[in-house]
Amino acid sequence: MIVVRLRLDLAYDGTDFSGWARQPGRRTVQEEIEQAVGRILRLGEPATLTVAGRTDAGVHARGQVAHVDVPDDALGELDGNRGPLGVDERLSALVRRLGGVLPPDVRVHRVSVAPGGFDARFSAMFRRYAYRVSDVVGGVDPLRRREVVWHNRALDLGALNAAASRLLGEHDFAAFCKKRDGATTIRELQRLEWTREPDGVLVAVVVADAFCHSMVRALVGSLLAAGDGRRPVEWPGEVLVRGVRDSGVHVAPAHGLCLEEVGYPPAEELAARADHTRRVRTL
């Protein structure tokens, strides 16, 4: 049997999902898409997706990437009444049919045949998240309440960035992660920068090669404490150096976080990148 690996580029509003990963008795993004793909391609059972970033409950995604392996002949289920379609036409038909089957809070924007060596998770060079927070008096615009967190204290942009600069680079982020058995907490934080948009919303752009569980929201929580003056700008960096969870670090709410982009190397470097990512990290 010939198997084809498909890349899916997708987005979702995480509000009503219990995160990405399939969980018994809970509504998840993974299960919704797997069931839809399996139904459309008549696989007999749900497909099995591998995702670039397993987002938590309530976290959104605009640039999520996943891959799925399907039998080549299953794509023939997409042929129309006019006879066999080309590969691109079949994949376009799959996107269209997914749009009709999936609920409106999850969309697959593009399906393509993945290059050799592509792995949605391990081939990734970076993940870019955005965290959105508003300190406007009176609260967030009601039309943006699902994606912007209200912070009931004034935030200083300069203080936020001064504190953020102390966290950049490759470190053990154990102080900002939920520890998992057998998993390392060493990560390379490539970018952490705050801007204030014209409407007053503050946006933290966070880029790393990978993130451990709750890392972005814990980093943001520590920076908000420095940004509103409750802590000095040096404090998040001091927590990082100590390497243990600090009771003063409050994990920021999930709904302010969105996975914006996953970046990959050129096709010829995908397999090597996946092998490199699978190594055990040390400092």
Side-chain angles (χ1 to χ4, degrees), residues 10 13 21 24 56 62 119-120 123 141 174 182 184 199 203 211 262 271:
L10 56 118
D13 177 343
D56 294 335
R62 185 174 284 110
D119 185 291
S123 295
D141 176 353
T184 179
D199 61 0
V203 182
F211 294 93
V262 182

Side-chain angles (χ1 to χ4, degrees), residues 122-275:
F122 289 110
S123 295
M125 293 289 292
F126 67 85
R127 283 90 172 162
R128 175 171 63 87
Y129 282 86
Y131 195 93
R132 295 176 173 87
V133 58
S134 173
D135 59 353
V136 65
V137 175
V140 175
D141 176 353
L143 299 183
R144 300 193 67 187
R145 69 192 184 280
R146 289 190 166 198
E147 62 162 346
V148 180
V149 170
W150 184 42
H151 191 74
N152 194 17
R153 294 172 182 264
L155 290 163
D156 182 271
L157 181 61
L160 288 168
N161 280 319
S165 67
R166 292 164 166 80
L167 302 171
L168 295 171
E170 188 174 52
H171 307 284
D172 188 339
F173 284 92
F176 299 99
C177 298
K178 290 184 179 179
K179 188 71 174 177
R180 289 178 171 172
D181 291 341
T184 179
T185 49
I186 297 172
R187 298 290 188 272
E188 182 189 2
L189 188 58
Q190 300 166 357
R191 182 182 176 193
L192 179 49
E193 182 181 8
W194 291 84
T195 58
R196 190 183 287 274
E197 297 183 335
D199 61 0
V201 172
L202 287 147
V203 182
V205 176
V206 193
V207 180
D209 55 350
F211 294 93
C212 45
H213 190 218
S214 82
M215 177 176 162
V216 178
R217 291 164 56 202
L219 290 171
V220 169
S222 72
L223 295 176
L224 292 178
D228 67 18
R230 286 176 293 151
R231 298 277 188 170
V233 295
E234 296 83 7
W235 179 68
E238 293 168 354
V239 172
L240 174 68
V241 171
R242 287 196 293 270
V244 294
R245 291 303 292 253
D246 189 305
S247 60
V249 175
H250 298 289
V251 176
H255 70 276
L257 186 60
C258 182
L259 176 58
E260 300 283 344
E261 180 188 10
V262 182
Y264 295 94
E268 64 272 15
E269 299 175 15
L270 288 167
R273 174 62 188 177
D275 290 339

